[in-house]
Amino acid sequence: MNQQPYQRILVAHDGSRSAEKALEVAADYARENNIQLDILYVLDSSIVGFGNTHAAPSDDDLYLFEEKAISQLDRIKKRLVAAGSSVYQVHVHLRFGDPRTIIAQEFPDEYRNDLIILGSSTKNYLQRIFTGSVSSYVIRTAACDSLIIR
């Protein structure tokens, strides 16, 4: 019996090299199997302000981060369409909040993703101590299949 390929893939993207690798793997698979591809960028406001002189980002800072993320997502979609993906196949999304719960539970529940693909952790040691690794959280808690790309 042939198993159906996945119907809708979620790729979490944060601009890192490992996220780019994950995106390429997911885009190739989606193209080959003609399935939907959701590319999600989650702005975590608690990390955005980490390391800055102020404890929390201002509204202006958040607006700039949002604009940068939207621009990056638009470039990604154009690049994938130019590489052969259908404009109807690739969907880009921006969310604010805790990346772990949004990627592992909220977004896949809402969009019915049956596979999550992410790059390996890009956080430094100190960030992982305070917030934990997104990829390890997703692997442990997601209801659907998950794949970590190195």
Side-chain angles (χ1 to χ4, degrees), residues 5-6 8 33 41 46 52 54 58 63 66 86 92 95 97 111-113 117 120-121 126 136-138 145:
Y6 295 105
R8 194 161 189 141
N33 294 285
Y41 195 112
S46 68
N52 291 342
H54 56 290
S58 68
Y63 177 77
E66 179 181 10
S86 165
V92 294
R95 294 285 172 92
Y111 285 89
R112 296 187 176 143
N113 300 100
I117 299 179
S120 59
S121 181
L126 190 57
S136 63
Y137 183 87
V138 170
D145 292 345

Side-chain angles (χ1 to χ4, degrees), residues 45-94:
S45 57
S46 68
I47 298 299
V48 170
F50 191 78
N52 291 342
T53 56
H54 56 290
S58 68
D59 289 343
D60 290 339
D61 289 339
L62 286 175
Y63 177 77
L64 292 174
F65 287 123
E66 179 181 10
E67 288 298 309
K68 183 178 175 183
I70 290 169
S71 176
Q72 183 177 13
L73 287 169
D74 288 341
R75 283 192 306 273
I76 289 169
K77 183 171 183 170
K78 287 176 185 173
R79 185 178 81 220
L80 294 179
V81 169
S85 295
S86 165
V87 70
Y88 302 106
Q89 182 179 38
V90 179
H91 309 275
V92 294
H93 310 270
L94 176 65

